[in-house]
mmCIF file with all atom_site columns, all heavy atoms in Angstrom:
data_model
loop_
_atom_site.group_PDB
_atom_site.id
_atom_site.type_symbol
_atom_site.label_atom_id
_atom_site.label_alt_id
_atom_site.label_comp_id
_atom_site.label_asym_id
_atom_site.label_entity_id
_atom_site.label_seq_id
_atom_site.pdbx_PDB_ins_code
_atom_site.Cartn_x
_atom_site.Cartn_y
_atom_site.Cartn_z
_atom_site.occupancy
_atom_site.B_iso_or_equiv
_atom_site.pdbx_formal_charge
_atom_site.auth_seq_id
_atom_site.auth_comp_id
_atom_site.auth_asym_id
_atom_site.auth_atom_id
_atom_site.pdbx_PDB_model_num
ATOM 1   N N   . THR A 1 108 ? -50.729 -52.269 77.156 1.00 89.00 ? 824 THR A N   1
ATOM 2   C CA  . THR A 1 108 ? -51.973 -52.083 76.395 1.00 89.00 ? 824 THR A CA  1
ATOM 3   C C   . THR A 1 108 ? -52.230 -53.154 75.381 1.00 89.00 ? 824 THR A C   1
ATOM 4   O O   . THR A 1 108 ? -53.355 -53.651 75.153 1.00 89.00 ? 824 THR A O   1
ATOM 5   C CB  . THR A 1 108 ? -51.779 -50.725 75.618 1.00 89.00 ? 824 THR A CB  1
ATOM 6   O OG1 . THR A 1 108 ? -51.632 -49.642 76.606 1.00 89.00 ? 824 THR A OG1 1
ATOM 7   C CG2 . THR A 1 108 ? -53.075 -50.476 74.853 1.00 89.00 ? 824 THR A CG2 1
ATOM 8   N N   . GLU A 1 109 ? -51.146 -53.595 74.845 1.00 89.00 ? 825 GLU A N   1
ATOM 9   C CA  . GLU A 1 109 ? -51.297 -54.729 73.712 1.00 89.00 ? 825 GLU A CA  1
ATOM 10  C C   . GLU A 1 109 ? -51.854 -55.991 74.333 1.00 89.00 ? 825 GLU A C   1
ATOM 11  O O   . GLU A 1 109 ? -52.612 -56.722 73.756 1.00 89.00 ? 825 GLU A O   1
ATOM 12  C CB  . GLU A 1 109 ? -49.967 -54.960 73.042 1.00 89.00 ? 825 GLU A CB  1
ATOM 13  C CG  . GLU A 1 109 ? -49.484 -53.799 72.167 1.00 89.00 ? 825 GLU A CG  1
ATOM 14  C CD  . GLU A 1 109 ? -48.832 -52.672 72.904 1.00 89.00 ? 825 GLU A CD  1
ATOM 15  O OE1 . GLU A 1 109 ? -48.531 -52.877 74.146 1.00 89.00 ? 825 GLU A OE1 1
ATOM 16  O OE2 . GLU A 1 109 ? -48.529 -51.604 72.373 1.00 89.00 ? 825 GLU A OE2 1
ATOM 17  N N   . LEU A 1 110 ? -51.294 -56.332 75.560 1.00 88.00 ? 826 LEU A N   1
ATOM 18  C CA  . LEU A 1 110 ? -51.771 -57.541 76.232 1.00 88.00 ? 826 LEU A CA  1
ATOM 19  C C   . LEU A 1 110 ? -53.131 -57.478 76.687 1.00 88.00 ? 826 LEU A C   1
ATOM 20  O O   . LEU A 1 110 ? -53.975 -58.378 76.576 1.00 88.00 ? 826 LEU A O   1
ATOM 21  C CB  . LEU A 1 110 ? -50.792 -57.796 77.562 1.00 88.00 ? 826 LEU A CB  1
ATOM 22  C CG  . LEU A 1 110 ? -49.498 -58.527 77.283 1.00 88.00 ? 826 LEU A CG  1
ATOM 23  C CD1 . LEU A 1 110 ? -48.646 -58.530 78.517 1.00 88.00 ? 826 LEU A CD1 1
ATOM 24  C CD2 . LEU A 1 110 ? -49.846 -59.951 76.775 1.00 88.00 ? 826 LEU A CD2 1
ATOM 25  N N   . VAL A 1 111 ? -53.550 -56.254 77.223 1.00 90.00 ? 827 VAL A N   1
ATOM 26  C CA  . VAL A 1 111 ? -55.005 -56.108 77.621 1.00 90.00 ? 827 VAL A CA  1
ATOM 27  C C   . VAL A 1 111 ? -55.899 -56.271 76.383 1.00 90.00 ? 827 VAL A C   1
ATOM 28  O O   . VAL A 1 111 ? -56.928 -57.024 76.524 1.00 90.00 ? 827 VAL A O   1
ATOM 29  C CB  . VAL A 1 111 ? -55.199 -54.716 78.291 1.00 90.00 ? 827 VAL A CB  1
ATOM 30  C CG1 . VAL A 1 111 ? -56.601 -54.438 78.445 1.00 90.00 ? 827 VAL A CG1 1
ATOM 31  C CG2 . VAL A 1 111 ? -54.313 -54.540 79.534 1.00 90.00 ? 827 VAL A CG2 1
ATOM 32  N N   . GLN A 1 112 ? -55.535 -55.760 75.210 1.00 91.00 ? 828 GLN A N   1
ATOM 33  C CA  . GLN A 1 112 ? -56.350 -55.909 74.063 1.00 91.00 ? 828 GLN A CA  1
ATOM 34  C C   . GLN A 1 112 ? -56.396 -57.356 73.573 1.00 91.00 ? 828 GLN A C   1
ATOM 35  O O   . GLN A 1 112 ? -57.381 -57.909 73.092 1.00 91.00 ? 828 GLN A O   1
ATOM 36  C CB  . GLN A 1 112 ? -55.806 -55.019 72.963 1.00 91.00 ? 828 GLN A CB  1
ATOM 37  C CG  . GLN A 1 112 ? -56.029 -53.527 73.223 1.00 91.00 ? 828 GLN A CG  1
ATOM 38  C CD  . GLN A 1 112 ? -55.524 -52.704 72.067 1.00 91.00 ? 828 GLN A CD  1
ATOM 39  O OE1 . GLN A 1 112 ? -54.315 -52.585 71.933 1.00 91.00 ? 828 GLN A OE1 1
ATOM 40  N NE2 . GLN A 1 112 ? -56.380 -52.045 71.295 1.00 91.00 ? 828 GLN A NE2 1
ATOM 41  N N   . ALA A 1 113 ? -55.179 -58.015 73.789 1.00 90.00 ? 829 ALA A N   1
ATOM 42  C CA  . ALA A 1 113 ? -55.169 -59.468 73.309 1.00 90.00 ? 829 ALA A CA  1
ATOM 43  C C   . ALA A 1 113 ? -56.021 -60.364 74.175 1.00 90.00 ? 829 ALA A C   1
ATOM 44  O O   . ALA A 1 113 ? -56.697 -61.265 73.743 1.00 90.00 ? 829 ALA A O   1
ATOM 45  C CB  . ALA A 1 113 ? -53.724 -59.896 73.336 1.00 90.00 ? 829 ALA A CB  1
ATOM 46  N N   . LEU A 1 114 ? -55.961 -60.022 75.517 1.00 90.00 ? 830 LEU A N   1
ATOM 47  C CA  . LEU A 1 114 ? -56.858 -60.880 76.432 1.00 90.00 ? 830 LEU A CA  1
ATOM 48  C C   . LEU A 1 114 ? -58.292 -60.563 76.201 1.00 90.00 ? 830 LEU A C   1
ATOM 49  O O   . LEU A 1 114 ? -59.108 -61.435 76.547 1.00 90.00 ? 830 LEU A O   1
ATOM 50  C CB  . LEU A 1 114 ? -56.487 -60.442 77.909 1.00 90.00 ? 830 LEU A CB  1
ATOM 51  C CG  . LEU A 1 114 ? -55.105 -60.903 78.307 1.00 90.00 ? 830 LEU A CG  1
ATOM 52  C CD1 . LEU A 1 114 ? -54.794 -60.376 79.745 1.00 90.00 ? 830 LEU A CD1 1
ATOM 53  C CD2 . LEU A 1 114 ? -54.913 -62.416 78.391 1.00 90.00 ? 830 LEU A CD2 1
ATOM 54  N N   . ARG A 1 115 ? -58.669 -59.455 75.515 1.00 90.00 ? 831 ARG A N   1
ATOM 55  C CA  . ARG A 1 115 ? -60.039 -59.274 75.082 1.00 90.00 ? 831 ARG A CA  1
ATOM 56  C C   . ARG A 1 115 ? -60.380 -60.000 73.794 1.00 90.00 ? 831 ARG A C   1
ATOM 57  O O   . ARG A 1 115 ? -61.457 -59.850 73.268 1.00 90.00 ? 831 ARG A O   1
ATOM 58  C CB  . ARG A 1 115 ? -60.248 -57.735 74.959 1.00 90.00 ? 831 ARG A CB  1
ATOM 59  C CG  . ARG A 1 115 ? -60.168 -56.988 76.312 1.00 90.00 ? 831 ARG A CG  1
ATOM 60  C CD  . ARG A 1 115 ? -60.294 -55.538 75.951 1.00 90.00 ? 831 ARG A CD  1
ATOM 61  N NE  . ARG A 1 115 ? -60.259 -54.700 77.247 1.00 90.00 ? 831 ARG A NE  1
ATOM 62  C CZ  . ARG A 1 115 ? -60.238 -53.443 77.273 1.00 90.00 ? 831 ARG A CZ  1
ATOM 63  N NH1 . ARG A 1 115 ? -60.200 -52.710 76.094 1.00 90.00 ? 831 ARG A NH1 1
ATOM 64  N NH2 . ARG A 1 115 ? -60.115 -52.845 78.407 1.00 90.00 ? 831 ARG A NH2 1
ATOM 65  N N   . GLY A 1 116 ? -59.416 -60.670 73.241 1.00 89.00 ? 832 GLY A N   1
ATOM 66  C CA  . GLY A 1 116 ? -59.593 -61.443 72.008 1.00 89.00 ? 832 GLY A CA  1
ATOM 67  C C   . GLY A 1 116 ? -59.164 -60.725 70.740 1.00 89.00 ? 832 GLY A C   1
ATOM 68  O O   . GLY A 1 116 ? -59.551 -61.160 69.621 1.00 89.00 ? 832 GLY A O   1
ATOM 69  N N   . GLU A 1 117 ? -58.365 -59.719 70.813 1.00 91.00 ? 833 GLU A N   1
ATOM 70  C CA  . GLU A 1 117 ? -57.930 -58.979 69.622 1.00 91.00 ? 833 GLU A CA  1
ATOM 71  C C   . GLU A 1 117 ? -56.481 -59.306 69.280 1.00 91.00 ? 833 GLU A C   1
ATOM 72  O O   . GLU A 1 117 ? -55.631 -59.509 70.211 1.00 91.00 ? 833 GLU A O   1
ATOM 73  C CB  . GLU A 1 117 ? -58.028 -57.458 69.840 1.00 91.00 ? 833 GLU A CB  1
ATOM 74  C CG  . GLU A 1 117 ? -59.512 -57.049 70.187 1.00 91.00 ? 833 GLU A CG  1
ATOM 75  C CD  . GLU A 1 117 ? -59.535 -55.538 70.521 1.00 91.00 ? 833 GLU A CD  1
ATOM 76  O OE1 . GLU A 1 117 ? -58.517 -54.877 70.261 1.00 91.00 ? 833 GLU A OE1 1
ATOM 77  O OE2 . GLU A 1 117 ? -60.610 -55.038 71.083 1.00 91.00 ? 833 GLU A OE2 1
ATOM 78  N N   . ASP A 1 118 ? -56.192 -59.260 67.975 1.00 91.00 ? 834 ASP A N   1
ATOM 79  C CA  . ASP A 1 118 ? -54.777 -59.321 67.510 1.00 91.00 ? 834 ASP A CA  1
ATOM 80  C C   . ASP A 1 118 ? -54.337 -57.933 67.362 1.00 91.00 ? 834 ASP A C   1
ATOM 81  O O   . ASP A 1 118 ? -54.906 -57.100 66.706 1.00 91.00 ? 834 ASP A O   1
ATOM 82  C CB  . ASP A 1 118 ? -54.802 -60.060 66.146 1.00 91.00 ? 834 ASP A CB  1
ATOM 83  C CG  . ASP A 1 118 ? -54.997 -61.581 66.266 1.00 91.00 ? 834 ASP A CG  1
ATOM 84  O OD1 . ASP A 1 118 ? -54.518 -62.112 67.173 1.00 91.00 ? 834 ASP A OD1 1
ATOM 85  O OD2 . ASP A 1 118 ? -55.766 -62.063 65.356 1.00 91.00 ? 834 ASP A OD2 1
ATOM 86  N N   . VAL A 1 119 ? -53.152 -57.600 68.002 1.00 92.00 ? 835 VAL A N   1
ATOM 87  C CA  . VAL A 1 119 ? -52.650 -56.287 68.086 1.00 92.00 ? 835 VAL A CA  1
ATOM 88  C C   . VAL A 1 119 ? -51.303 -56.162 67.514 1.00 92.00 ? 835 VAL A C   1
ATOM 89  O O   . VAL A 1 119 ? -50.450 -57.085 67.800 1.00 92.00 ? 835 VAL A O   1
ATOM 90  C CB  . VAL A 1 119 ? -52.704 -55.746 69.500 1.00 92.00 ? 835 VAL A CB  1
ATOM 91  C CG1 . VAL A 1 119 ? -52.205 -54.254 69.625 1.00 92.00 ? 835 VAL A CG1 1
ATOM 92  C CG2 . VAL A 1 119 ? -54.111 -55.963 70.146 1.00 92.00 ? 835 VAL A CG2 1
ATOM 93  N N   . PHE A 1 120 ? -51.036 -55.047 66.787 1.00 92.00 ? 836 PHE A N   1
ATOM 94  C CA  . PHE A 1 120 ? -49.652 -54.786 66.326 1.00 92.00 ? 836 PHE A CA  1
ATOM 95  C C   . PHE A 1 120 ? -49.451 -53.300 66.365 1.00 92.00 ? 836 PHE A C   1
ATOM 96  O O   . PHE A 1 120 ? -50.340 -52.449 65.940 1.00 92.00 ? 836 PHE A O   1
ATOM 97  C CB  . PHE A 1 120 ? -49.405 -55.268 64.813 1.00 92.00 ? 836 PHE A CB  1
ATOM 98  C CG  . PHE A 1 120 ? -48.065 -54.935 64.304 1.00 92.00 ? 836 PHE A CG  1
ATOM 99  C CD1 . PHE A 1 120 ? -46.938 -55.529 64.718 1.00 92.00 ? 836 PHE A CD1 1
ATOM 100 C CD2 . PHE A 1 120 ? -47.923 -53.833 63.496 1.00 92.00 ? 836 PHE A CD2 1
ATOM 101 C CE1 . PHE A 1 120 ? -45.708 -55.240 64.216 1.00 92.00 ? 836 PHE A CE1 1
ATOM 102 C CE2 . PHE A 1 120 ? -46.720 -53.440 63.053 1.00 92.00 ? 836 PHE A CE2 1
ATOM 103 C CZ  . PHE A 1 120 ? -45.535 -54.161 63.341 1.00 92.00 ? 836 PHE A CZ  1
ATOM 104 N N   . TYR A 1 121 ? -48.222 -52.913 66.780 1.00 89.00 ? 837 TYR A N   1
ATOM 105 C CA  . TYR A 1 121 ? -47.955 -51.523 66.852 1.00 89.00 ? 837 TYR A CA  1
ATOM 106 C C   . TYR A 1 121 ? -46.427 -51.403 66.667 1.00 89.00 ? 837 TYR A C   1
ATOM 107 O O   . TYR A 1 121 ? -45.610 -52.136 67.220 1.00 89.00 ? 837 TYR A O   1
ATOM 108 C CB  . TYR A 1 121 ? -48.275 -50.894 68.154 1.00 89.00 ? 837 TYR A CB  1
ATOM 109 C CG  . TYR A 1 121 ? -47.786 -49.427 68.400 1.00 89.00 ? 837 TYR A CG  1
ATOM 110 C CD1 . TYR A 1 121 ? -48.477 -48.406 67.750 1.00 89.00 ? 837 TYR A CD1 1
ATOM 111 C CD2 . TYR A 1 121 ? -46.688 -49.206 69.188 1.00 89.00 ? 837 TYR A CD2 1
ATOM 112 C CE1 . TYR A 1 121 ? -48.013 -47.071 67.904 1.00 89.00 ? 837 TYR A CE1 1
ATOM 113 C CE2 . TYR A 1 121 ? -46.233 -47.879 69.346 1.00 89.00 ? 837 TYR A CE2 1
ATOM 114 C CZ  . TYR A 1 121 ? -46.912 -46.782 68.686 1.00 89.00 ? 837 TYR A CZ  1
ATOM 115 O OH  . TYR A 1 121 ? -46.369 -45.599 68.872 1.00 89.00 ? 837 TYR A OH  1
ATOM 116 N N   . THR A 1 122 ? -45.994 -50.391 65.823 1.00 89.00 ? 838 THR A N   1
ATOM 117 C CA  . THR A 1 122 ? -44.568 -50.156 65.606 1.00 89.00 ? 838 THR A CA  1
ATOM 118 C C   . THR A 1 122 ? -44.267 -48.724 65.465 1.00 89.00 ? 838 THR A C   1
ATOM 119 O O   . THR A 1 122 ? -45.192 -47.898 65.079 1.00 89.00 ? 838 THR A O   1
ATOM 120 C CB  . THR A 1 122 ? -44.022 -50.848 64.279 1.00 89.00 ? 838 THR A CB  1
ATOM 121 O OG1 . THR A 1 122 ? -42.650 -50.760 64.172 1.00 89.00 ? 838 THR A OG1 1
ATOM 122 C CG2 . THR A 1 122 ? -44.724 -50.309 63.115 1.00 89.00 ? 838 THR A CG2 1
ATOM 123 N N   . GLU A 1 123 ? -43.102 -48.280 65.765 1.00 89.00 ? 839 GLU A N   1
ATOM 124 C CA  . GLU A 1 123 ? -42.677 -46.866 65.644 1.00 89.00 ? 839 GLU A CA  1
ATOM 125 C C   . GLU A 1 123 ? -41.224 -46.834 65.358 1.00 89.00 ? 839 GLU A C   1
ATOM 126 O O   . GLU A 1 123 ? -40.462 -47.727 65.636 1.00 89.00 ? 839 GLU A O   1
ATOM 127 C CB  . GLU A 1 123 ? -43.031 -46.120 66.947 1.00 89.00 ? 839 GLU A CB  1
ATOM 128 C CG  . GLU A 1 123 ? -42.269 -46.596 68.192 1.00 89.00 ? 839 GLU A CG  1
ATOM 129 C CD  . GLU A 1 123 ? -42.514 -45.721 69.289 1.00 89.00 ? 839 GLU A CD  1
ATOM 130 O OE1 . GLU A 1 123 ? -43.095 -44.542 69.142 1.00 89.00 ? 839 GLU A OE1 1
ATOM 131 O OE2 . GLU A 1 123 ? -42.153 -46.120 70.452 1.00 89.00 ? 839 GLU A OE2 1
ATOM 132 N N   . PHE A 1 124 ? -40.814 -45.634 64.848 1.00 87.00 ? 840 PHE A N   1
ATOM 133 C CA  . PHE A 1 124 ? -39.367 -45.352 64.570 1.00 87.00 ? 840 PHE A CA  1
ATOM 134 C C   . PHE A 1 124 ? -38.934 -44.210 65.423 1.00 87.00 ? 840 PHE A C   1
ATOM 135 O O   . PHE A 1 124 ? -39.385 -43.037 65.146 1.00 87.00 ? 840 PHE A O   1
ATOM 136 C CB  . PHE A 1 124 ? -39.056 -45.157 63.084 1.00 87.00 ? 840 PHE A CB  1
ATOM 137 C CG  . PHE A 1 124 ? -37.644 -44.831 62.746 1.00 87.00 ? 840 PHE A CG  1
ATOM 138 C CD1 . PHE A 1 124 ? -36.676 -45.805 62.875 1.00 87.00 ? 840 PHE A CD1 1
ATOM 139 C CD2 . PHE A 1 124 ? -37.349 -43.551 62.389 1.00 87.00 ? 840 PHE A CD2 1
ATOM 140 C CE1 . PHE A 1 124 ? -35.349 -45.507 62.598 1.00 87.00 ? 840 PHE A CE1 1
ATOM 141 C CE2 . PHE A 1 124 ? -35.999 -43.257 62.149 1.00 87.00 ? 840 PHE A CE2 1
ATOM 142 C CZ  . PHE A 1 124 ? -35.001 -44.240 62.217 1.00 87.00 ? 840 PHE A CZ  1
ATOM 143 N N   . SER A 1 125 ? -38.161 -44.471 66.389 1.00 85.00 ? 841 SER A N   1
ATOM 144 C CA  . SER A 1 125 ? -37.706 -43.370 67.254 1.00 85.00 ? 841 SER A CA  1
ATOM 145 C C   . SER A 1 125 ? -36.437 -43.830 67.934 1.00 85.00 ? 841 SER A C   1
ATOM 146 O O   . SER A 1 125 ? -36.043 -45.029 68.076 1.00 85.00 ? 841 SER A O   1
ATOM 147 C CB  . SER A 1 125 ? -38.695 -43.109 68.373 1.00 85.00 ? 841 SER A CB  1
ATOM 148 O OG  . SER A 1 125 ? -38.966 -44.263 69.241 1.00 85.00 ? 841 SER A OG  1
#
Side-chain angles (χ1 to χ4, degrees):
T824 302
E825 293 80 9
L826 274 173
V827 173
Q828 291 178 289
L830 292 174
R831 293 175 181 172
E833 301 176 11
D834 290 318
V835 183
F836 174 79
Y837 173 76
T838 186
E839 65 175 346
F840 177 69
S841 62

